[in-house]
Amino acid sequence: MLYFYFSNMRNWMKKDNSRTFMSARVISERKNDYVVVLSNGEEIDIRKGELKCFVGDIIELSEESDYLTIKQITKREKVVEKSSNKTAKSYRYSKSNQVLASNVDQIYIFIAVNQNFSLSKLERYVLVFSQKDIELYLVITKIDLTDNYIQCVKTFKVLYPNINILEISIYNKESLKNFENTLKSKHVGLFIGSSGAGKTTVINHLRQNNQEKVGDVRKDGKGKHTTTMSKMLYCQKYDYYVIDTPGFKAIDKNENLDLSILFSDILTLSDKCRFSDCNHDNTPGCEIELALKDGRISKEKVERYVYNRTKIS
């Protein structure tokens, strides 16, 4: 049973004439119904209606006759989205966004060292999923498989010291302890990443005896999409709530990416250039070139900025 904490809620049930209202939280979505948990810990199924709900939504149920319906959805906070696509497990660009989850406190992006690991991949994840008021962690997994990732992570840490990175292996107790120390009691964490990156394995570690299905990884390092739908799970030891999500193949989102997440220093300098259309390449009065000469900024940081700016233009 999932014992769930409802913040900023007083009474989970109240009566109004012949109807009874109760608060609940959506913990999973199926084809025809939602799985919700009441404030007393009971899980029930609610048939879908006109109101579209997402995992993490706090809703108000109305009891009329012998069945419950969704009366309203509490205002969503800290919504995490991805771009919609005809390919269900792709995060590539499309005309609309899909909500991954709502009311999220922390985002954990799982990236396996044996799955096309690169500096640009780490940068892209941060640019796509970083947002205000949600803690973000890059979780580098399966570090027992190879040492090839070390230099890439080292470079990333030097370039972006304010981004949280965790390096873990299910066989390394100290690394798992470092991961556990980031979990905040009564908070909700969204676990995302490619199939086979180890999300479910870590969740099974956190939940101990309450095991989710884990699939084999193919020879090319890609997973088999064992998790088929998003669902919220309770980790009793940590009094913590995890939203597990299906793996994806690629990432993007519709809105223009905010380069200031990684390159605020460069953007601040570019605002001081003599010319507003400065291309930062042998241009008179270029503040970035001056900063390169006096060591205020590194050549590699500028190169990463140019690379990422080109990718999103």
Side-chain angles (χ1 to χ4, degrees):
M1 179 180 293
L2 179 65
Y3 296 97
F4 202 84
Y5 174 84
F6 289 83
S7 60
N8 300 322
M9 287 188 178
R10 296 181 179 178
N11 299 317
W12 75 276
M13 183 179 291
K14 57 185 177 180
K15 290 190 175 183
D16 179 9
N17 297 328
S18 60
R19 296 179 297 174
T20 299
F21 302 105
M22 63 186 73
S23 295
R25 192 156 194 176
V26 178
I27 61 172
S28 186
E29 177 183 1
R30 296 193 288 239
K31 183 178 181 180
N32 297 315
D33 55 24
Y34 300 108
V35 181
V36 306
V37 62
L38 306 179
S39 297
N40 65 352
E42 180 184 1
E43 290 183 23
I44 60 175
D45 299 337
I46 300 293
R47 191 168 184 81
K48 291 182 177 179
E50 295 182 359
L51 292 177
K52 172 63 177 176
C53 297
F54 304 105
V55 174
D57 275 351
I58 296 173
I59 59 177
E60 190 171 84
L61 303 176
S62 174
E63 184 178 9
E64 301 181 25
S65 300
D66 295 327
Y67 63 93
L68 290 169
T69 60
I70 300 173
K71 179 177 180 288
Q72 68 178 23
I73 301 171
T74 301
K75 182 181 178 181
R76 296 184 177 109
E77 304 287 349
K78 304 178 184 178
V79 177
V80 182
E81 298 178 312
K82 72 177 181 67
S83 61
S84 178
N85 190 275
K86 291 181 180 179
T87 303
K89 296 189 188 320
S90 174
Y91 277 38
R92 294 189 184 280
Y93 177 84
S94 73
K95 293 182 179 180
S96 61
N97 276 350
Q98 290 180 331
V99 174
L100 292 176
S102 67
N103 303 306
V104 172
D105 302 300
Q106 297 176 298
I107 298 175
Y108 291 86
I109 305 174
F110 286 69
I111 308 170
V113 297
N114 63 334
Q115 293 183 333
N116 300 317
F117 195 83
S118 67
L119 183 59
S120 60
K121 186 175 185 177
L122 301 183
E123 292 169 335
R124 193 65 174 176
Y125 274 115
V126 173
L127 291 174
V128 168
F129 290 107
S130 288
Q131 62 185 79
K132 186 179 180 181
D133 299 328
I134 302 181
E135 284 185 292
L136 183 139
Y137 290 86
L138 294 179
V139 185
I140 312 304
T141 65
K142 304 186 179 183
I143 60 174
D144 55 286
L145 296 181
T146 178
D147 293 335
N148 294 339
Y149 74 95
I150 294 177
Q151 185 56 48
C152 177
V153 171
K154 182 178 180 180
T155 299
F156 187 92
K157 289 180 177 179
V158 171
L159 291 172
Y160 317 111
N162 295 326
I163 304 298
N164 300 311
I165 285 193
L166 298 168
E167 302 166 48
I168 69 170
S169 166
I170 200 67
Y171 305 109
N172 186 312
K173 292 183 178 180
E174 183 177 355
S175 71
L176 292 175
K177 186 64 177 179
N178 291 335
F179 181 93
E180 294 162 16
N181 288 339
T182 67
L183 307 177
K184 296 183 178 180
S185 176
K186 295 181 174 61
H187 281 54
V188 176
L190 178 67
F191 284 20
I192 59 177
S194 301
S195 294
K199 301 185 300 294
T200 305
T201 299
V202 171
I203 289 173
N204 284 343
H205 167 75
L206 298 177
R207 299 185 75 222
Q208 298 175 326
N209 294 328
N210 298 302
Q211 300 294 291
E212 296 296 308
K213 184 178 179 182
V214 178
D216 295 330
V217 176
R218 297 178 347 203
K219 291 182 179 180
D220 60 4
K222 297 179 180 179
K224 297 182 179 179
H225 306 301
T226 302
T227 301
T228 57
M229 63 180 181
S230 296
K231 50 188 172 182
M232 182 177 287
L233 304 164
Y234 181 55
C235 304
Q236 186 173 11
K237 179 179 178 181
Y238 310 94
D239 193 18
Y240 190 80
Y241 313 97
V242 170
I243 298 177
D244 190 16
T245 61
F248 52 78
K249 295 179 180 178
I251 58 170
D252 213 334
K253 72 176 182 179
N254 298 334
E255 297 84 0
N256 292 328
L257 298 180
D258 183 5
L259 288 178
S260 68
I261 294 169
L262 293 178
F263 304 104
S264 60
D265 48 355
I266 293 179
L267 292 173
T268 298
L269 288 171
S270 66
D271 288 340
K272 299 177 182 179
C273 290
R274 181 183 301 174
F275 302 106
S276 60
D277 60 348
C278 181
N279 61 12
H280 316 304
D281 184 18
N282 296 319
T283 304
C286 176
E287 191 67 24
I288 289 179
E289 290 186 2
L290 291 175
L292 279 169
K293 290 179 181 179
D294 62 25
R296 282 178 289 157
I297 196 168
S298 69
K299 180 181 179 181
E300 187 168 20
K301 184 68 175 287
V302 175
E303 290 174 348
R304 298 312 303 169
Y305 166 71
V306 172
Y307 171 84
N308 282 278
R309 184 182 62 180
T310 302
K311 284 291 185 178
I312 68 173
S313 61

